[in-house]
Amino acid sequence: MIDWYIIDLIGTCVFAISGALSALNKKMYHDLFGIFFVGFLTAVGGGTLRDILIGAHPIAWIRDPNYLLVIIGSVSVAVLGRKWWLGTLRRPLLVFDTLGIGLYTILGMQKALNFDVNNWAAMVLGLISAIFGGVIRDTLVNDLPLIFDRQIYATACLAGALLYLIGRSVALDPMVNFTISASLITLIRLLAIRNGWALPRIK
Amino acid sequence: MIDWYIIDLIGTCVFAISGALSALNKKMYHDLFGIFFVGFLTAVGGGTLRDILIGAHPIAWIRDPNYLLVIIGSVSVAVLGRKWWLGTLRRPLLVFDTLGIGLYTILGMQKALNFDVNNWAAMVLGLISAIFGGVIRDTLVNDLPLIFDRQIYATACLAGALLYLIGRSVALDPMVNFTISASLITLIRLLAIRNGWALPRIK
Amino acid sequence: MIDWYIIDLIGTCVFAISGALSALNKKMYHDLFGIFFVGFLTAVGGGTLRDILIGAHPIAWIRDPNYLLVIIGSVSVAVLGRKWWLGTLRRPLLVFDTLGIGLYTILGMQKALNFDVNNWAAMVLGLISAIFGGVIRDTLVNDLPLIFDRQIYATACLAGALLYLIGRSVALDPMVNFTISASLITLIRLLAIRNGWALPRIK
């Protein structure tokens, strides 16, 4: 059996590292505080916005100290090993990020569906959980947010979210449904990166 | 009798179209997802921020699927008819937007006044309902937000909001009060556009 | 005995003036509305974000009209005396701002600790209370936010926040604890400005 809490902390770790590396890479944030700040917002941004929108208090990182401890540890690891990470580990990190958006989209939907939320809004809230941290990260380091890149990104999340809703409506076992839907997101995203898949351009 | 729910959905439609057309016009968001994203945030941004500030859960588009369906339909219409809209319909759209801020300012105040809100804050919350979606839209497409344009814009909303509070304090019929106040906003804004009215410049 | 409510209103006044002067100084916001808008967001931004994160409704300025009246008065004073302020009063204002972040960090923590908040999150929420208004102000006038300046700023707030938590854990008298912790923040910040203290640069 999967422990959702551990999955959530692993996602927090992965997103915190991805935020810290973006900050280190762009040389916009020269001191420790700035790097922690970007790592923190990348890690908690999506879930926090989701919880504010559905009114789910207390928010996880505010109630439970483990989230902030994981972020402090992850950013420290990113800073201490920064030469190694930025040299050879970019590809693994992209894979982690891709795993992360798959897990977070469906985790975010599951949480939202416990509240008074319609199915369309649940998909939007799952998407927000997965991508909003990255949008903050990219905006803070002055990159065009990944979701506006033409390559399939948010669309992969929405496809997996739709599949999850269909599985839920036919009473598929939650664990099976979770695994299939999250895997679909990660698979579509990896194929999109490899093959350069993009939505049609609108002229 | 006016149906507030229908008015709210019409406003959602108008703002979604205005967001989608801005995105199409600026050519910053080339694919369907980016255009839906800007249309969605323009349509729900103001009301969502208001509801978060007053703690009014569940937020309308999260509870009721019709808001997202209206947005999907409106953005689709904007994309399919984009040559027509951007060619000949900019003037009608400006009029719709102007109708929209009148309706939304007073609708937003009415909702806020059902909560523990002082009169000054109610005016601010009505203003936020009307303009915050447009602020997001203009920021996303890298325009200076319309509210910072020197022409009378937010001032028109605040004038109508003040009139509504005065009408309310003398127990004017709510429907009459709504109609007069919302019309005042639209009228001031239209006159400001036509005559180039602006607040005094501060040197 | 100190009256927390008066301290909060004084902080609101100081931050509103600092926002209005930034807007006047940058000449980005030429009319009264824009200047009020920046002053308002600078004054209420930090406390509002803290209250949304912990779900503390109603938010102070929404319930109590005195906050908005103080902001209207403060921004008016800033605008009417703008030549005097921008000529000779920049140094006093920096001192006020430095007093402000000391008071607001600890006031913000005190409020957060009344909710279901862990100690690490309480420090983050105190920091947010003190600095988020300034981040909005600097972003709106296109300055690099002060917190990303290399000079010690957020670090001073976090040091005072940590001291407050230590004092609280040994059951120090709340008033003594408040005074010592807030003073430490102001002292570190003033020394950092005078001596150019900065966090180590990460290469």
Side-chain angles (χ1 to χ4, degrees):
Chain A
M1 204 204 117
I2 298 177
D3 186 331
W4 301 116
Y5 179 59
I6 298 296
I7 292 182
D8 201 12
L9 289 180
I10 292 173
T12 303
C13 167
V14 169
F15 279 125
I17 291 177
S18 119
L21 292 184
S22 280
L24 285 163
N25 196 36
K26 273 299 184 118
K27 297 177 183 147
M28 283 188 63
Y29 302 95
H30 301 293
D31 64 21
L32 267 182
F33 173 75
I35 293 161
F36 268 99
F37 184 82
V38 178
F40 168 71
L41 288 181
T42 306
V44 306
T48 300
L49 180 56
R50 177 201 60 217
D51 288 350
I52 289 175
L53 286 170
I54 58 179
H57 295 286
I59 295 171
W61 64 267
I62 288 180
R63 191 198 60 238
D64 175 355
N66 288 343
Y67 289 88
L68 286 172
L69 293 173
V70 163
I71 291 169
I72 292 172
S74 305
V75 174
S76 302
V77 165
V79 169
L80 292 174
R82 59 192 178 279
K83 269 153 205 159
W84 187 62
W85 286 100
L86 293 173
T88 65
L89 268 183
R90 300 189 95 170
R91 205 172 188 86
L93 191 81
L94 195 60
V95 174
F96 274 116
D97 185 83
T98 304
L99 283 168
I101 60 167
L103 294 171
Y104 266 49
T105 302
I106 311 297
L107 277 177
M109 281 184 78
Q110 284 186 328
K111 174 143 194 198
L113 287 165
N114 293 329
F115 288 76
D116 188 5
V117 161
N118 69 72
N119 282 345
W120 297 92
M123 292 177 60
V124 173
L125 290 163
L127 181 64
I128 286 173
S129 309
I131 68 173
F132 190 68
V135 170
I136 297 179
R137 176 196 62 210
D138 298 340
T139 303
L140 284 174
V141 302
N142 275 357
D143 275 341
L144 180 71
L146 263 178
I147 54 159
F148 294 132
D149 196 358
R150 282 186 59 241
Q151 276 187 4
I152 300 286
Y153 188 90
T155 313
C157 299
L158 290 173
L162 189 60
L163 186 66
Y164 182 82
L165 283 179
I166 293 170
R168 193 166 175 271
S169 74
V170 299
L172 194 63
D173 175 72
M175 187 63 61
V176 174
N177 198 5
F178 181 95
T179 311
I180 293 177
S181 307
S183 303
L184 179 71
I185 295 172
T186 299
L187 185 68
I188 294 180
R189 175 65 183 147
L190 287 177
L191 288 173
I193 294 173
R194 168 183 278 260
N195 301 329
W197 287 354
L199 288 185
R201 182 179 286 266
I202 291 177
K203 284 169 291 284
Chain B
M1 201 203 117
I2 298 177
D3 185 330
W4 301 115
Y5 179 59
I6 297 296
I7 292 182
D8 201 11
L9 288 180
I10 291 173
T12 302
C13 166
V14 169
F15 278 124
I17 290 177
S18 118
L21 292 185
S22 279
L24 285 163
N25 195 37
K26 274 297 185 121
K27 297 180 182 142
M28 283 187 63
Y29 303 94
H30 300 293
D31 64 22
L32 266 181
F33 173 74
I35 292 161
F36 269 99
F37 184 82
V38 179
F40 168 71
L41 288 181
T42 306
V44 305
T48 300
L49 180 57
R50 177 201 60 217
D51 288 350
I52 288 174
L53 286 169
I54 58 180
H57 295 285
I59 296 171
W61 65 267
I62 289 180
R63 192 198 59 238
D64 175 355
N66 288 342
Y67 289 88
L68 286 172
L69 293 174
V70 163
I71 291 169
I72 292 171
S74 305
V75 175
S76 302
V77 165
V79 169
L80 291 174
R82 59 191 178 278
K83 268 153 206 160
W84 187 62
W85 286 99
L86 293 173
T88 65
L89 267 182
R90 299 189 95 169
R91 205 173 188 87
L93 192 81
L94 196 61
V95 174
F96 274 115
D97 185 83
T98 304
L99 282 168
I101 61 168
L103 295 170
Y104 266 50
T105 302
I106 310 298
L107 278 176
M109 281 184 77
Q110 283 185 329
K111 174 144 194 198
L113 287 164
N114 292 329
F115 288 76
D116 188 5
V117 161
N118 70 72
N119 282 346
W120 297 91
M123 292 175 61
V124 173
L125 291 163
L127 181 64
I128 286 173
S129 309
I131 69 174
F132 190 68
V135 170
I136 297 179
R137 175 196 63 210
D138 298 340
T139 304
L140 283 174
V141 302
N142 276 355
D143 274 343
L144 180 72
L146 263 177
I147 55 159
F148 293 132
D149 195 359
R150 281 185 61 239
Q151 275 186 6
I152 300 285
Y153 188 89
T155 312
C157 298
L158 290 173
L162 189 60
L163 185 66
Y164 182 82
L165 283 179
I166 293 170
R168 195 165 173 271
S169 74
V170 300
L172 194 62
D173 174 71
M175 187 63 61
V176 174
N177 198 6
F178 181 96
T179 311
I180 294 177
S181 308
S183 303
L184 179 71
I185 295 171
T186 300
L187 185 69
I188 294 180
R189 175 66 184 145
L190 287 177
L191 288 173
I193 294 173
R194 167 183 279 259
N195 302 329
W197 286 354
L199 287 185
R201 181 179 286 267
I202 292 177
K203 283 169 290 285
Chain C
M1 202 203 117
I2 298 177
D3 185 332
W4 301 115
Y5 179 60
I6 298 296
I7 292 181
D8 201 13
L9 289 179
I10 291 173
T12 303
C13 166
V14 169
F15 278 124
I17 291 177
S18 117
L21 291 185
S22 279
L24 284 163
N25 195 37
K26 272 298 182 120
K27 297 178 182 145
M28 284 188 63
Y29 303 95
H30 300 293
D31 64 22
L32 266 181
F33 173 74
I35 292 161
F36 269 99
F37 184 81
V38 178
F40 168 71
L41 287 182
T42 306
V44 306
T48 300
L49 180 57
R50 177 201 59 217
D51 289 349
I52 289 175
L53 286 170
I54 58 180
H57 295 286
I59 295 171
W61 65 267
I62 289 179
R63 191 196 60 239
D64 175 354
N66 288 343
Y67 289 88
L68 286 172
L69 293 173
V70 163
I71 291 169
I72 292 172
S74 305
V75 174
S76 303
V77 165
V79 169
L80 291 174
R82 60 192 178 278
K83 268 153 207 161
W84 187 62
W85 287 99
L86 292 173
T88 66
L89 267 183
R90 299 189 95 171
R91 205 173 188 86
L93 192 80
L94 196 60
V95 174
F96 274 116
D97 184 84
T98 304
L99 282 169
I101 61 167
L103 294 171
Y104 266 49
T105 302
I106 311 298
L107 278 177
M109 280 183 79
Q110 284 185 329
K111 174 143 195 199
L113 287 164
N114 293 329
F115 288 76
D116 188 6
V117 161
N118 70 72
N119 281 346
W120 296 92
M123 292 176 61
V124 173
L125 291 162
L127 180 64
I128 286 173
S129 309
I131 68 173
F132 190 69
V135 170
I136 298 179
R137 175 197 61 210
D138 299 340
T139 303
L140 283 174
V141 302
N142 276 357
D143 274 341
L144 180 72
L146 262 178
I147 55 159
F148 294 133
D149 196 359
R150 281 185 62 240
Q151 275 187 5
I152 300 286
Y153 188 89
T155 313
C157 299
L158 290 173
L162 189 60
L163 186 66
Y164 182 82
L165 283 180
I166 293 170
R168 194 166 175 269
S169 73
V170 300
L172 194 63
D173 175 70
M175 188 62 62
V176 174
N177 198 6
F178 181 95
T179 310
I180 294 177
S181 307
S183 303
L184 179 71
I185 295 171
T186 300
L187 185 68
I188 295 180
R189 176 65 184 146
L190 286 178
L191 288 173
I193 293 174
R194 166 183 279 260
N195 301 329
W197 287 354
L199 286 185
R201 182 180 286 265
I202 292 177
K203 284 170 290 284

